[in-house]
Amino acid sequence: MYERKILPNLNCGLDLIGEVLYGKWKIRLLWFINEGYKRPSELQRKIPDTTRRVLNIQLKELEEHELVTRKIYPVVPPKVEYSLTEFGKTLIPVISALGKWGDENEEHLRTVILERLRQESRQDIVSV
Amino acid sequence: MYERKILPNLNCGLDLIGEVLYGKWKIRLLWFINEGYKRPSELQRKIPDTTRRVLNIQLKELEEHELVTRKIYPVVPPKVEYSLTEFGKTLIPVISALGKWGDENEEHLRTVILERLRQESRQDIVSV
DNA sequence: ACAATAGGGGAAAAATTTATCCCTATATGA
DNA sequence: TCATATAGGGATAAATTTTTCCCCTATTGT
């Protein structure tokens, strides 16, 4: 595990929520768990752009922050299911609001994001 | 500038909003600009935990994503003011929802976050 | 002459996060 | 017997972000 050298700011609500949601796949994990995809292999299939290893790490952090629980069934082959805690469930409307804004502004967002990426590569060509 | 080697996912609304909000100080910058702190030096005073350099970089990204505009006054000493674009303003209710959830759950969040940090350092002691 | 204030940025280091690689174990089906 | 599916983790590399350090312009006030 990696021990932080710079302690996070925990001054206001924005700091606090940032601390538990900051992580490339965390919001998606919460979203899919809420949709009923509970098992690690299911979640991996829903999020194929990263590996199980990475998902495990982020799931563990979500668990330590008490947003999800992990239930282990003593069967073979092993079976594990994640669920949202009551606390985690209260986050769903917030995530929903994020996704809604993104969906409503999808076209514009895609444009400005891609435009910025193009600027990056252009600068790279110039500097070489 | 840094050119990405891994292209971002832009599949759904959550990916898109993540792309423009992901950045340690961006949400706070948007928030304070919305509150009327427009000049770089004012923003720096509101966010003393990082340097002007870093704020400049993140402000520039926000500008490239068309969430803020930068207005330069041709005076000496120089004067610059940031404002939210109409597009940026539509994000304020979403940020507000994030902050609200964080505030409402402040106590619990602080507990679980600090607990997790303590676990990190404990493991470090053991492994040494 | 010098410091302070206003604005900015390049280069490189440090911190942090994410990805990759390779390993454990058991049962089932081909 | 071998591949697949289930779940997990250590070690290390790579990517990315954030920070630090030092530099620049010009004016005003001491």
Side-chain angles (χ1 to χ4, degrees):
Chain A
M1 200 179 294
Y2 178 82
E3 184 180 356
R4 295 189 183 211
K5 297 183 180 172
I6 298 175
L7 290 181
N9 300 82
L10 302 176
N11 306 313
C12 64
L14 285 174
D15 290 340
L16 292 163
I17 191 172
E19 196 57 25
V20 299
L21 285 190
Y22 220 75
K24 190 163 175 181
W25 312 101
K26 284 188 182 176
I27 290 182
R28 255 161 293 190
L29 284 169
L30 291 170
W31 192 252
F32 287 128
I33 291 171
N34 179 247
E35 283 191 334
Y37 301 92
K38 297 172 171 299
R39 302 182 67 179
S41 50
E42 290 175 326
L43 293 167
Q44 163 83 83
R45 277 190 285 272
K46 296 299 289 182
I47 310 176
D49 295 306
T50 187
T51 59
R52 269 276 303 291
R53 178 88 176 99
V54 175
L55 294 182
N56 284 342
I57 292 171
Q58 305 223 343
L59 282 165
K60 190 170 182 186
E61 286 178 10
L62 291 173
E63 193 191 358
E64 288 171 343
H65 286 144
E66 298 182 16
L67 295 169
V68 304
T69 51
R70 179 163 169 272
K71 184 169 181 184
I72 308 160
Y73 295 85
V75 294
V76 168
K79 178 176 174 181
V80 167
E81 280 186 356
Y82 289 94
S83 310
L84 297 183
T85 61
E86 289 305 311
F87 183 44
K89 284 178 190 166
T90 66
L91 200 42
I92 294 301
V94 181
I95 295 177
S96 185
L98 289 171
K100 187 158 172 282
W101 186 85
D103 286 334
E104 285 169 355
N105 300 284
E106 177 178 351
E107 200 176 340
H108 188 222
L109 283 167
R110 211 178 288 277
T111 304
V112 295
I113 291 168
L114 292 177
E115 177 54 28
R116 185 167 175 280
L117 290 176
R118 269 187 231 104
Q119 285 176 21
E120 272 182 22
S121 24
R122 216 174 298 142
Q123 295 218 353
D124 189 58
I125 292 166
V126 173
S127 72
V128 170
Chain B
M1 199 178 294
Y2 178 81
E3 184 178 358
R4 295 188 183 211
K5 298 183 181 173
I6 298 175
L7 290 182
N9 301 83
L10 303 176
N11 306 313
C12 64
L14 285 173
D15 290 340
L16 292 164
I17 192 172
E19 195 59 21
V20 299
L21 285 190
Y22 219 75
K24 190 164 175 181
W25 312 99
K26 283 189 182 176
I27 291 181
R28 253 159 296 188
L29 283 170
L30 291 171
W31 191 252
F32 286 128
I33 291 172
N34 179 246
E35 282 191 334
Y37 301 92
K38 297 172 171 298
R39 303 181 66 178
S41 50
E42 291 176 325
L43 293 167
Q44 163 83 81
R45 276 191 286 271
K46 296 300 289 183
I47 310 175
D49 295 306
T50 187
T51 59
R52 269 272 304 291
R53 177 86 177 103
V54 176
L55 295 183
N56 284 342
I57 292 170
Q58 306 223 343
L59 283 165
K60 191 170 181 184
E61 287 178 11
L62 291 173
E63 194 192 356
E64 289 171 343
H65 286 143
E66 298 182 15
L67 295 169
V68 303
T69 50
R70 179 163 169 269
K71 182 170 180 182
I72 308 161
Y73 294 84
V75 295
V76 168
K79 179 176 174 182
V80 167
E81 281 187 357
Y82 289 92
S83 309
L84 296 183
T85 61
E86 289 306 311
F87 183 45
K89 285 177 189 166
T90 66
L91 200 43
I92 294 301
V94 180
I95 294 177
S96 184
L98 289 170
K100 187 159 173 281
W101 185 86
D103 285 334
E104 284 169 356
N105 299 284
E106 176 176 352
E107 201 175 342
H108 187 222
L109 283 167
R110 214 179 286 278
T111 304
V112 294
I113 291 168
L114 292 177
E115 178 53 29
R116 185 166 176 280
L117 289 176
R118 268 187 232 103
Q119 285 177 20
E120 273 182 22
S121 25
R122 216 174 297 142
Q123 294 217 355
D124 189 60
I125 292 165
V126 172
S127 70
V128 170

